[in-house]
Amino acid sequence: MQDFDCENAESGNMENSVKKLDMLVVGAGFSGIYQLYKAREAGLSVRVLEAGDGVGGTWFWNRYPGARCDVESLDYSYSFCRELEEEWQWSERYAPQAEILKYMEHVVDRFALKDGIQLNARVSRAVFNDDRLLWTVSTESGEVFECTYLVMATGGLSIPQRPQLKGLDDFKGRWYHSAQWPKDGVDFTGQRVALIGTGSSGVQMVPIIAEQAAKLTVFQRTANFSVPAHNVPFTEKALAAAKARYPDRRAMGREAITGQFLNANTKTAAEMTEEEQRAELEYRWKGAGGGFRMLRTFADQMSNLETNKMVADFARNRIRSVVKDSAKADLLCPKDDLPFGGKRLCVDSRYYETFNLEHVDIVDAAAHPVIEATAHGLRTDQCEYKVDAIVFATGFDAMSGALKAIDIRGSCGKSLREKWEHGPTSYLGLSIAGFPNMFVVAGPGSPSVLSNMVHSIETHVDWIMRLLTQARATGVQRIEATQAAEDGWVQRCEDEANKTLYPRANSWYMGANIAGKPRVFMAFVSGVPLYRRIIEDVASNNYQGFEMA
Ligand code: N01
């Protein structure tokens, strides 16, 4: 099958005609770009539909001040091409948003992928035809495509949680959401700014907005743990040394639980002396460690409450040692009922230090919820805060949101929204019973958000392509996870999660950040290496759990 004539399509000449492809990919983030590359390599006609007017996914939309990756860039980057690794020069240990976006644009150019990506094309509906074994996919602007395979590369954190705040339309200042930040940036110089939300986005923004604003008031509903990034610029020498060991680094990453090497301690806390425990905690908090290394301080940290509390207490002590005002420090210390790492750990640069500035304040939005926006600011149940700008860092309808945003109809018209009414279900986090020939990259039920996303994305895309290559070679036209396989996988994910402390936290991993969203732990918690072995076994066993016809 030939790729359609995109020149005609874009000029509108084919507006009402149906474009036919082997594969359609939804989303041009890390997943969609790599899926396009691999599908083309396999000789498929393929097109990526992207809602934005540029590629990059997360890194296209999240342009808020201070946005940067909190997985080290040497790991949070494609590993499929050694030359790409060699030629790209990361400027910092944790690259800022603009640099990651530039990297992704470079990948698109370098591998000549641009003509396979259609921008400003938001997919609204996808319907499977059981007789013709095709997906019909429509965009909001009315374009229609038919494809044999549909790959949802829609991302786990791509549907922002819009603020449901009474009176927002009457607010006379400007308001922003972290994930829909203006391309030209925002200058807060001299302004009074309110910031709602203290997850990763809020924590990254606070120090930068504080540099500009005359007054910054942070409305915190739940204090989460944040650890220092110890971000540093790369010297030429350091980068060259790291690159000389790149294959080893990648290999160690593949065998690490999150798909990035964090020098995990293999001992439980009980197997160490107090002195050793202390040294381990210090090492991970300080420059040699930092960031997510704190999640790997003890082998039983996410399964043993006592061990977890040791890490949590250590972090709370660090917060108190930085924040001079004890009332602010009290508020910033996460409460005892939140396990360390139970909500996604934040990684910051000078977050806690920023609260020592006189013009930066914190409001307990759990005790005194924001009730409404007024013409001149925000009102809690206590008082009105007059501000010039409001920043919402209130997160996303995570994991399932992007898929439910599209009206997806599988075999016999089955609706994904209805199927997922009680929470997302899948087989292996990449296939859904009742939705043949559709694949989800890093979907609910895979390690995805608990891992180095780029590694997980490459794993999924490679696996999908291996399956499709075999299917095409053997004349298989319909690939579908069985309901029994899906049920078994959902149960396994739940059982694995219940062995850990994760379900104790009201996190977005659990759907707890969205009112009315079912509480289901949405990721495979037991790590990238085990997960990869499971899906490799499935492939070796003739794709056990799939019906192939
Ligand atoms: O969103 P979040 P995020 N009133 O959901 C609060 C990734 N990421 O955008 O905890 C008041 O974590 C909410 O409070 P609570 C990363 O995976 C990565 O910060 O629900 N507050 C919370 O404090 C991350 O985990 C990077 O009580 C309200 C905050 O808003 C994920 O994206 C950088 C509220 C939302 O925190 C999401 O992070 C940034 C309300 N009505 C993000 N509603 C990297 O560096 C919500 N909140 C890779």
Side-chain angles (χ1 to χ4, degrees), residues 23 25 29-42 78 80 151-153 430 439-442 453-469 531 535 543:
M23 179 187 282
V25 181
F30 268 103
S31 306
I33 291 171
Y34 185 51
Q35 181 62 73
L36 171 61
Y37 170 76
K38 291 299 283 185
R40 277 192 168 174
E41 191 183 56
Y78 291 118
F80 69 86
V151 177
M152 306 306 290
L430 47 68
F439 302 94
V440 183
V441 181
M453 276 302 264
V454 186
H455 172 75
S456 285
I457 285 165
E458 287 185 323
T459 303
H460 264 186
V461 171
D462 290 347
W463 193 92
I464 291 166
M465 288 315 301
R466 181 174 157 195
L467 165 59
L468 296 187
T469 304
Y531 176 79
I535 63 172
Y543 293 96

Side-chain angles (χ1 to χ4, degrees), residues 394-410:
T394 43
F396 301 86
D397 184 354
M399 310 286 287
S400 53
L403 289 162
K404 286 180 84 174
I406 300 170
D407 183 12
I408 303 177
R409 307 273 165 161

Side-chain angles (χ1 to χ4, degrees), residues 64 68 70 197-201 204 221-222 343-344 393 395 508:
Y64 60 80
R68 63 176 66 246
D70 53 17
T198 52
S200 301
S201 305
Q204 287 187 330
R221 192 165 64 180
T222 312
K343 281 183 178 234
R344 188 183 182 275
W508 59 255

